[in-house]
Amino acid sequence: MGSSPLGRQCCSLTTGGSRMSVLSLEEKMTRGSRRQIRPGDKDQAEVWVCISELLPKEGTPSSFSPNTFYLKGLVARSQIEIIGRTALIVKEIGQEAALKLLDKVGVGSLKRKNSELDGVVLPLNPKPKVTSNLESLIEVKEKHIDHGQERVCIGTGSWDTGCDSKVFDIFATVDLRREEGEEVKIKVHHLDAMVGDSKVVVRSDGLQRSIEVMLRMLAAEVFMFQA
């Protein structure tokens, strides 16, 4: 049975002597990788992810067998766009990350009463604001949605009209592992974000889950796993 063009580019997964370079893996995992991870609705935000870099840590072998490998400590730089009402964005990334990352853009919802956050409860005494000379991690673009568009932004807070689009630039430390005859397993175990000139630790199950889903999709395509 002939292999597909993608299979030939990747290298044969059935030939024991085949090798894949880490550079080739990065090219395949980052080329045109922006995907919608989840559509939005009245209960959850819309999520898009782009993997822009996949960098090996020092000491990682320059090539590996695509049949069996363990690539530990790779750094995946990801741009995660979350679209929806502010309450849904806070729900998606979590309260701790929201207080750390959304404060600089002056999102009024973080300081309004809990009932306006559509079920999201934030601490009464949030962390001090980041100093004004630091640039925000988040690019904020107001989205005025026409009735004909597919993106849905529905919430109960009358103070929040239209959609926000917030782009998070995240550096994820990830492990990729594959055993003979199995699919690639992805583990994200650390998230950092650049805020101004400083790298800060971010703890967010939602951001971590989005990166894992994206990497799993890309790895399945690159290695053409067949159950």
Side-chain angles (χ1 to χ4, degrees):
M1 181 181 297
S3 60
S4 68
L6 178 59
R8 288 193 294 271
Q9 293 172 8
C10 176
C11 66
S12 171
L13 301 186
T14 59
T15 303
S18 297
R19 305 285 294 179
M20 178 186 287
S21 71
V22 174
L23 178 60
S24 175
L25 176 64
E26 180 191 9
E27 292 174 348
K28 296 175 189 301
M29 294 281 280
T30 59
R31 184 172 52 203
S33 69
R34 187 175 188 272
R35 309 281 180 86
Q36 185 186 56
I37 297 300
R38 192 184 63 214
D41 59 29
K42 67 183 181 64
D43 296 318
Q44 60 186 12
E46 179 180 349
V47 181
W48 291 75
V49 178
C50 174
I51 306 297
S52 59
E53 293 180 296
L54 186 64
L55 305 176
K57 72 174 183 178
E58 186 176 355
T60 300
S62 60
S63 66
F64 60 95
S65 166
N67 296 300
T68 305
F69 59 84
Y70 183 25
L71 300 176
K72 187 175 181 180
L74 303 180
V75 176
R77 185 173 187 177
S78 311
Q79 288 72 47
I80 304 175
E81 182 179 14
I82 304 179
I83 304 165
R85 294 189 180 276
T86 303
L88 295 181
I89 295 175
V90 172
K91 178 182 176 182
E92 177 66 25
I93 69 175
Q95 297 175 19
E96 180 180 347
L99 287 170
K100 181 179 291 186
L101 303 180
L102 298 183
D103 185 69
K104 275 290 290 179
V105 299
V107 179
S109 62
L110 294 183
K111 298 175 178 62
R112 294 180 179 268
K113 60 185 180 181
N114 292 334
S115 62
E116 290 184 327
L117 285 175
D118 197 16
V120 178
V121 180
L122 297 176
L124 295 179
N125 297 314
K127 296 179 181 179
K129 290 186 177 181
V130 182
T131 55
S132 59
N133 64 330
L134 294 181
E135 295 179 358
S136 172
L137 163 69
I138 306 162
E139 300 172 3
V140 180
K141 296 168 289 183
E142 288 291 338
K143 301 290 186 179
H144 299 289
I145 302 302
D146 295 328
H147 292 294
Q149 291 183 318
E150 295 181 355
R151 291 175 178 174
V152 179
C153 297
I154 301 175
T156 59
S158 59
W159 48 267
D160 192 2
T161 58
C163 278
D164 278 343
S165 172
K166 306 189 191 302
V167 180
F168 301 84
D169 195 2
I170 303 296
F171 296 81
T173 303
V174 304
D175 299 339
L176 276 65
R177 168 175 266 170
R178 190 185 196 195
E179 300 296 339
E180 185 77 33
E182 296 184 1
E183 64 183 337
V184 178
K185 293 180 174 59
I186 308 292
K187 174 64 176 177
V188 176
H189 50 81
H190 186 81
L191 301 179
D192 288 310
M194 290 301 297
V195 179
D197 297 326
S198 302
K199 184 174 282 190
V200 298
V201 176
V202 177
R203 296 180 178 86
S204 169
D205 291 340
L207 294 175
Q208 178 173 324
R209 180 173 56 250
S210 294
I211 294 171
E212 285 181 345
V213 170
M214 182 64 171
L215 289 173
R216 194 174 298 117
M217 291 169 55
L218 295 172
E221 294 174 6
V222 169
F223 295 99
M224 300 186 66
F225 170 72
Q226 298 292 329

